[in-house]
Amino acid sequence: MHQRRILMSIVFLSVSLFIVGCTAAPEKPQQKTDDKGVMTQRQVLNISETKPLDTIDISKATGFGKLANSTEGLYRQGESGSIDPGLASKTAISNNGRRYTFTIRKNARWSNGQAITAQDFVYSWKRTLHSETKSDYTDLFIGIKNAAAIAHHHMSVNRLGVKAQGKRTLVVNLEHPIIYFQSLMAYPLFAPQNAEIIKKSGSRFASTASNQVYSGPFKLINWKKGDQSRTLVPNPYYWDRKHVYLSKISIRTISSPSRSLSLYRDQKLDSVELIGRQIKNNFRRMDYTIRPYSMMMFLSYNFRNSTGSQRQLLNNKDFRLALSHAIDRKKLIYDGLQNVSLAPRGFVTTGLSREVKSGADFAGVQRASSTVTGSTKKAKTEWQNALNQLNRKSATIKIVVVNSQLNHLLATNLKEQLENNLPGLTIKFNFEPTTEAVTNTFKSGNADLMISGWGADFSDPISFLQIMSSRNPYNYGGWTNKEYDKLVLSAISNSDNDASQRWNTMLKADEILMKDQGVTPLYQQVHSYLVNPHLNGVVFNSTGVSADYKGAYFVK
């Protein structure tokens, strides 16, 4: 209990520190630039990541946090999820909400000085959707005219509802109003791409920093695929370069939490993420802060397991409910992970979206929260029901997960809880080196469950709910429910443009998913950091791009 009280107090202390830190913004540095507009004043940010950058091709990326500061689209995501101007200087929306006309800035330029045009957006979107590209994110285009048929290879990419009218006018036609469309357009996936560079580079495209051009406030230098470090410098042709203050961002890959903390203490890093006991040992420091993120970690069930007996077990609803009820999420977080993450209330994260009329947080009004609340009594009853239905006395399940220090803490506590609360159940963990290895092991049938995670790309519940529809590529376990599919499609299409009706549709979808335990939510990530107190102007958000350094600067 003592440790739990300490960790709970961190949340309140961190919020207080955050409020104090925001009361008075320090004066930004005076800019000194050369004749090309490149800053000469030394403003160097040193940060680390646990995994290296794998690609700078936005059509083939599996995440965009590492690309966001060198990539910009029509909008940018600002403070508290606001949608700020990007490469579009003006937007006109038709009365029926089905046509958007964007005006590209006169001074929008690539990092090589070439003008960014409306056609660069058309080319980019079509390239991502083309079947030969094999993008993982084609479903995010659905709602743009013909995008669904194109994404599922039923129609030519040339019929996508987007066109360039001259150099600076981009017209996008939707099949139905999309409430979150402008938020979606702030995601780097929808940024422009330079066809000339791609054609010229051929197979070398995006393999090195020099085989790419950049639309964002920074450009990448001194990088090739496989490197454990990279450097970003200001893009001299960026339309808003006068508000870019850092002279360099230096990023290195460090997998050891203790090594990162040591470098931070030696002032060789400007921020460090804390895990486990590092949080308890450092949360009283004035440079400690927390950053909630709309990332839900959950158990995926392999409903298509190649072994018949295991497939029957995983497809048994009582078994899945028993697993969920057997887990005390607060114990998992405080005793296992030893951090300040949040217990789930459903599949959708806390703080993601609020209803316009009532102001209610979607997570707080999810209708099947009892399915993710620990109950040993329910768990034992459901477990015994499952064994009786399957004519079994025991079961062994294999769970695959990425090999990391945090996941070892998670696995140890999860195994202890499940085996103690469900007599006759044996848990075996298989640790793989990468996320790709984990999904390959899971999809090949060599694991029964997978610890997975999903972070919201934009501030709407559908960002979570859509990945569990039967045709979504991220529904790795193959859970299917026809009613759920209909509700998700209805929420995406929202043909009546009725926000209240859409809200209730999404609540119903979440209720179906949770009552069936198509996936079992474990916890919502909240990260703990030590941050250089002289660093200001960084935009952190719980969705989309988590850290935007466009306006970051140091003061003494």
Side-chain angles (χ1 to χ4, degrees):
M1 285 300 294
H2 178 61
Q3 185 180 15
R4 292 192 186 190
R5 287 198 298 271
I6 289 176
L7 286 169
M8 283 298 290
S9 69
I10 293 175
V11 175
F12 300 106
L13 174 62
S14 301
V15 171
S16 299
L17 288 175
F18 178 76
I19 293 172
V20 171
C22 291
T23 53
E27 184 178 351
K28 295 178 181 178
Q30 293 294 315
Q31 293 179 309
K32 297 178 181 180
T33 60
D34 60 20
D35 57 356
K36 293 183 179 180
V38 179
M39 287 188 62
T40 58
Q41 182 178 350
R42 183 171 177 78
Q43 287 272 327
V44 180
L45 174 68
N46 293 288
I47 56 178
S48 66
E49 297 170 336
T50 57
K51 297 177 183 178
L53 175 66
D54 58 352
T55 183
I56 53 174
D57 183 345
I58 63 171
S59 287
K60 298 182 178 180
T62 55
F64 294 91
K66 293 179 171 63
L67 301 180
N69 290 285
S70 58
T71 306
E72 182 168 287
L74 298 165
Y75 303 111
R76 298 186 67 81
Q77 190 175 13
E79 293 280 2
S80 302
S82 65
I83 303 303
D84 294 344
L87 295 177
S89 60
K90 186 169 62 174
T91 303
I93 307 172
S94 64
N95 291 335
N96 64 4
R98 298 188 181 190
R99 172 173 290 193
Y100 284 72
T101 303
F102 301 99
T103 302
I104 309 304
R105 295 179 182 278
K106 290 182 180 180
N107 58 344
R109 294 188 177 274
W110 294 104
S111 56
N112 64 359
Q114 291 181 341
I116 296 175
T117 68
Q119 182 58 35
D120 291 331
F121 284 90
V122 175
Y123 172 79
S124 176
W125 295 9
K126 288 183 177 180
R127 179 174 181 264
T128 300
L129 279 168
H130 200 289
S131 58
E132 291 182 358
T133 305
K134 298 179 180 179
S135 172
D136 286 336
Y137 277 83
T138 57
D139 276 11
L140 283 184
F141 287 84
I142 292 177
I144 298 174
K145 187 176 179 179
N146 296 329
I150 296 168
H152 298 134
H153 315 312
H154 300 317
M155 187 179 289
S156 168
V157 71
N158 292 325
R159 296 183 64 181
L160 182 67
V162 57
K163 62 181 178 179
Q165 293 181 344
K167 290 186 176 181
R168 296 182 50 230
T169 302
L170 178 71
V171 180
V172 182
N173 290 301
L174 307 180
E175 293 177 340
H176 48 76
I178 301 176
I179 290 175
Y180 51 86
F181 187 67
Q182 288 178 282
S183 295
L184 197 61
M185 292 299 101
Y187 202 49
L189 172 69
F190 295 91
Q193 296 187 58
N194 189 306
E196 181 182 332
I197 293 295
I198 294 174
K199 184 177 179 180
K200 180 180 178 180
S201 300
S203 61
R204 294 177 290 108
F205 173 66
S207 61
T208 67
S210 60
N211 292 125
Q212 177 64 288
V213 288
Y214 307 93
S215 58
F218 297 92
K219 66 176 183 177
L220 184 64
I221 62 172
N222 303 329
W223 176 87
K224 64 179 183 300
K225 190 170 183 177
D227 280 356
Q228 299 295 301
S229 63
R230 65 187 187 278
T231 302
L232 294 166
V233 296
N235 174 359
Y237 298 101
Y238 180 60
W239 67 271
D240 195 28
R241 64 185 179 276
K242 68 180 180 180
H243 292 122
V244 178
Y245 307 106
L246 295 175
S247 59
K248 183 169 72 172
I249 303 176
S250 179
I251 306 169
R252 62 176 111 174
T253 303
I254 304 173
S255 58
S256 167
S258 59
R259 173 64 175 158
S260 294
L261 182 56
S262 177
L263 289 171
Y264 177 83
R265 287 172 173 166
D266 291 340
Q267 299 183 1
K268 294 180 179 179
L269 288 178
D270 292 302
S271 71
V272 59
E273 183 174 2
L274 306 174
I275 72 165
R277 293 188 63 83
Q278 289 179 340
I279 298 173
K280 181 181 177 180
N281 295 337
N282 290 279
F283 80 94
R284 294 185 183 278
R285 293 173 55 120
M286 291 301 294
D287 53 352
Y288 173 85
T289 189
I290 61 169
R291 297 174 191 160
Y293 192 64
S294 286
M295 168 74 78
M296 184 66 75
M297 303 302 296
F298 54 90
L299 288 172
S300 287
Y301 298 90
N302 197 339
F303 292 94
R304 296 175 294 212
N305 193 294
S306 56
T307 304
S309 59
Q310 290 299 90
R311 186 168 61 250
Q312 288 180 336
L313 178 67
L314 297 169
N315 277 274
N316 186 284
K317 180 179 176 180
D318 279 320
F319 165 71
R320 300 192 301 274
L321 285 168
L323 251 63
S324 185
H325 282 132
I327 303 168
D328 181 334
R329 270 74 172 182
K330 292 183 179 179
K331 182 177 181 181
L332 184 72
I333 293 167
Y334 303 142
D335 296 345
L337 299 173
Q338 301 176 45
N339 64 23
V340 291
S341 292
L342 299 175
R345 300 178 181 181
F347 190 48
V348 177
T349 54
T350 296
L352 176 69
S353 180
R354 292 186 178 277
E355 187 179 23
V356 175
K357 290 183 178 179
S358 68
D361 186 327
F362 188 91
V365 294
Q366 290 176 106
R367 298 168 178 170
S369 294
S370 62
T371 61
V372 292
T373 302
S375 171
T376 303
K377 182 178 180 180
K378 287 182 180 179
K380 290 183 182 297
T381 299
E382 291 157 346
W383 172 237
Q384 193 58 54
N385 287 342
L387 292 178
N388 291 340
Q389 292 162 22
L390 299 170
N391 196 26
R392 299 175 68 165
K393 294 184 178 180
S394 63
T396 298
I397 57 174
K398 183 190 293 184
I399 305 176
V400 63
V401 63
V402 174
N403 189 20
S404 70
Q405 187 171 336
L406 186 66
N407 280 338
H408 275 275
L409 294 172
L410 172 65
T412 299
N413 189 272
L414 192 60
K415 176 180 172 68
E416 178 184 350
Q417 288 201 52
L418 292 176
E419 290 184 345
N420 285 347
N421 293 333
L422 304 176
L425 178 64
T426 300
I427 305 292
K428 294 183 178 180
F429 275 93
N430 184 21
F431 294 94
E432 296 284 0
T434 64
T435 301
E436 183 180 11
V438 167
T439 54
N440 287 340
T441 297
F442 185 69
K443 289 190 289 186
S444 66
N446 292 321
D448 304 307
L449 281 79
M450 172 176 67
I451 295 180
S452 187
W454 184 259
D457 300 319
F458 49 92
S459 300
D460 190 273
I462 205 66
S463 184
F464 279 98
L465 299 174
Q466 67 181 352
I467 72 164
M468 290 309 298
S469 57
S470 58
R471 298 185 66 174
N472 193 285
Y474 288 98
N475 182 2
Y476 295 124
W479 179 78
T480 60
N481 183 289
K482 291 182 179 180
E483 179 63 18
Y484 182 87
D485 285 350
K486 290 178 181 178
L487 291 167
V488 168
L489 181 60
S490 175
I492 292 174
S493 63
N494 189 32
S495 56
D496 295 327
N497 207 19
D498 186 332
S500 180
Q501 178 179 323
R502 181 175 181 272
W503 182 266
N504 287 323
T505 296
M506 292 188 292
L507 285 172
K508 179 61 177 175
D510 180 82
E511 182 181 15
I512 290 173
L513 177 63
M514 289 296 93
K515 284 187 174 180
D516 197 62
Q517 281 299 289
V519 290
T520 292
L522 296 175
Y523 65 95
Q524 177 183 345
Q525 285 188 353
V526 177
H527 301 281
S528 294
Y529 286 87
L530 296 180
V531 180
N532 185 336
H534 301 298
L535 176 63
N536 293 273
V538 184
V539 174
F540 294 106
N541 275 298
S542 64
T543 62
V545 177
S546 58
D548 187 338
Y549 298 107
K550 173 189 170 181
Y553 60 95
F554 289 94
V555 293
K556 293 184 179 180

